[in-house]
Amino acid sequence: MEENLIENENLNENDVKEPDNIEAIIEGLLYVVGEDGIKASMLSEVIEKSLEDTKVYLDNIENKYKSEIYGIELVNYGGVYKFLSKKSVYPYATKLFETAKSSSLSQSALETLAIIAYKQPVTRVEIEELRGVGSDMMLRKLLSRNLIKEAGRSEAPGRPILYEVTDEFMDSFKLYSLEELPELPDFNNNENDNLFE
């Protein structure tokens, strides 16, 4: 919520004037609260208007966004008002998220993901031995994207966490099983003979 606010340190209470368009203020507040939404009673306290007037403003905003020229709408679920994207946006949003998932992975993330997919279950130390660099941060990023998950602990000293890919990984890369992964090339030099083995 707070990340959507633009603060002005020089603004004090005496500078706050009665807005010309209270509905614009309400729209801004609805944007700030995001998916948490806000109850009309709380909104009326914030804008210092009666609950009845506040509901009239909300009704006006709801009717305004019913127009086809807007991609969002104001909804009221259980007395909580919030902006949501319209149903017509859904197929495009799905495409956007699928594109972002595949295109936003860095080379390092893809390397780490490949090692886990081919070697799973695998520990962080094993991943780092193959990559030659620390992978702690990369593992956290992949975990946060739900592309990998913890799969118990190894019997090795210290019982390190084991990692494997998730169903989300399979969906993102359109795989039915890990057997569909391409075969790794054979390397003739001894240095690479045991890669991923």
Side-chain angles (χ1 to χ4, degrees):
M1 181 189 299
E2 291 179 1
E3 65 191 16
N4 293 333
L5 273 175
I6 299 176
E7 296 181 357
N8 185 340
E9 295 176 358
N10 300 319
L11 189 69
N12 59 53
E13 289 184 11
N14 296 327
D15 294 326
V16 178
K17 298 176 181 176
E18 180 71 19
D20 293 330
N21 187 352
I22 193 68
E23 289 179 13
I25 299 298
I26 293 173
E27 287 181 15
L29 292 171
L30 287 163
Y31 170 76
V32 168
V33 297
E35 62 183 22
D36 291 336
I38 189 170
K39 290 191 173 183
S41 56
M42 182 181 289
L43 197 53
S44 72
E45 286 180 32
V46 172
I47 64 174
E48 298 178 348
K49 298 289 183 183
S50 70
L51 182 58
E52 187 178 75
D53 285 347
T54 301
K55 287 185 175 179
V56 170
Y57 293 133
L58 287 165
D59 287 343
N60 290 342
I61 294 169
E62 184 178 350
N63 289 329
K64 169 186 170 181
Y65 282 94
K66 283 181 180 175
S67 168
E68 291 299 315
I69 66 171
Y70 296 105
I72 59 173
E73 61 185 337
L74 180 62
V75 298
N76 173 9
Y77 293 147
V80 176
Y81 292 83
K82 61 177 121 177
F83 278 130
L84 292 179
S85 58
K86 291 182 177 176
K87 288 182 181 178
S88 58
V89 176
Y90 178 77
Y92 299 95
T94 302
K95 186 177 178 182
L96 172 66
F97 292 135
E98 285 177 354
T99 303
K101 249 180 210 173
S102 57
S103 65
S104 62
L105 288 175
S106 66
Q107 184 64 36
S108 297
L110 288 171
E111 286 174 8
T112 305
L113 207 46
I115 291 169
I116 296 170
Y118 280 99
K119 288 272 296 174
Q120 70 172 30
V122 61
T123 66
R124 177 179 58 81
V125 173
E126 291 172 310
I127 295 168
E128 290 173 350
E129 284 176 354
L130 287 168
R131 291 194 65 228
V133 293
S135 297
D136 189 51
M137 183 63 71
M138 199 55 58
L139 287 170
R140 274 185 276 178
K141 285 183 180 179
L142 294 172
L143 282 166
S144 69
R145 292 183 185 215
N146 199 32
L147 292 172
I148 63 170
K149 64 182 179 181
E150 294 183 5
R153 291 188 174 266
S154 167
E155 294 300 322
R159 294 184 51 77
I161 296 170
L162 292 165
Y163 296 97
E164 63 182 28
V165 295
T166 62
D167 291 339
E168 185 82 13
F169 165 85
M170 304 296 283
D171 290 342
S172 297
F173 291 90
K174 297 178 173 47
L175 298 171
Y176 288 103
S177 77
L178 291 177
E179 292 176 3
E180 293 182 74
L181 288 170
E183 288 187 18
L184 292 169
D186 289 328
F187 295 102
N188 293 325
N189 60 66
N190 293 332
E191 187 179 323
N192 292 322
D193 272 347
N194 296 321
L195 188 64
F196 295 162
E197 286 183 1

